[in-house]
Amino acid sequence: MTLTLPVGAQAADSLWLSDRGSSRTGAENYVLISGVIGGLAGYRRIERGLVELGHRVIVIDPYLMSIDSNEVSFDALARRVSAQLISHGVMRATVVGHAHGGGVALRVTANWPGVVSGLFLLHVGGLSGKKRTGFR
């Protein structure tokens, strides 16, 4: 079986990581961490908008990255995300986590606070803004 990169992917991209935009001095870094569902494609519109504004955007699907591992705790996924940030030269970034990726983003922030300049959580569940009473 042959795997191909998604449409628009760069050669340095993988099925679980996309690195787009400027790495010039002064450009802000954004790290977008997907949940179990959505992957890289789930962030495409946000990624495109941030890149158009001159920022560097790294989108990571920690679940697909860890598909062959039996260690998939938030801590393990955060260690893998951190290793990717180091290998891509990210010293400081705003981190965004969606759904289960929010748990990974929280661990990245807690374990490497010097790297995280801001943290945003999207649809992580259990927030008071939810309409259903079961998740308040």
Side-chain angles (χ1 to χ4, degrees):
M1 178 170 106
T2 303
L3 297 176
T4 58
L5 292 174
V7 174
Q10 298 175 355
D13 288 350
S14 68
L15 294 175
W16 46 264
L17 186 139
S18 169
D19 185 350
R20 299 233 189 317
S22 177
S23 58
R24 65 176 166 65
T25 304
E28 289 187 49
N29 295 309
Y30 286 86
V31 176
L32 313 177
I33 303 171
S34 75
V36 176
I37 298 174
L40 303 185
Y43 275 123
R44 284 292 180 227
R45 192 175 343 160
I46 294 172
E47 176 187 43
R48 191 175 10 218
L50 289 170
V51 169
E52 287 173 2
L53 291 171
H55 304 296
R56 180 181 183 195
V57 181
I58 297 174
V59 183
I60 300 175
D61 182 342
Y63 294 92
L64 187 56
M65 177 174 44
S66 303
I67 194 105
D68 292 334
S69 177
N70 63 358
E71 190 180 5
V72 291
S73 67
F74 286 146
D75 282 329
L77 296 174
R79 283 192 303 274
R80 289 188 194 100
V81 167
S82 177
Q84 289 303 312
L85 298 181
I86 291 167
S87 73
H88 283 80
V90 175
M91 304 304 291
R92 194 105 172 110
T94 297
V95 177
V96 179
H98 175 255
H100 284 86
V104 179
L106 284 169
R107 290 304 195 289
V108 169
T109 302
N111 294 332
W112 298 278
V115 173
V116 180
S117 59
L119 173 65
F120 294 88
L121 303 175
L122 308 172
H123 301 113
V124 294
L127 300 177
S128 62
K130 297 288 183 187
K131 302 292 182 198
R132 299 189 187 256
T133 57
F135 291 109
R136 287 203 173 165

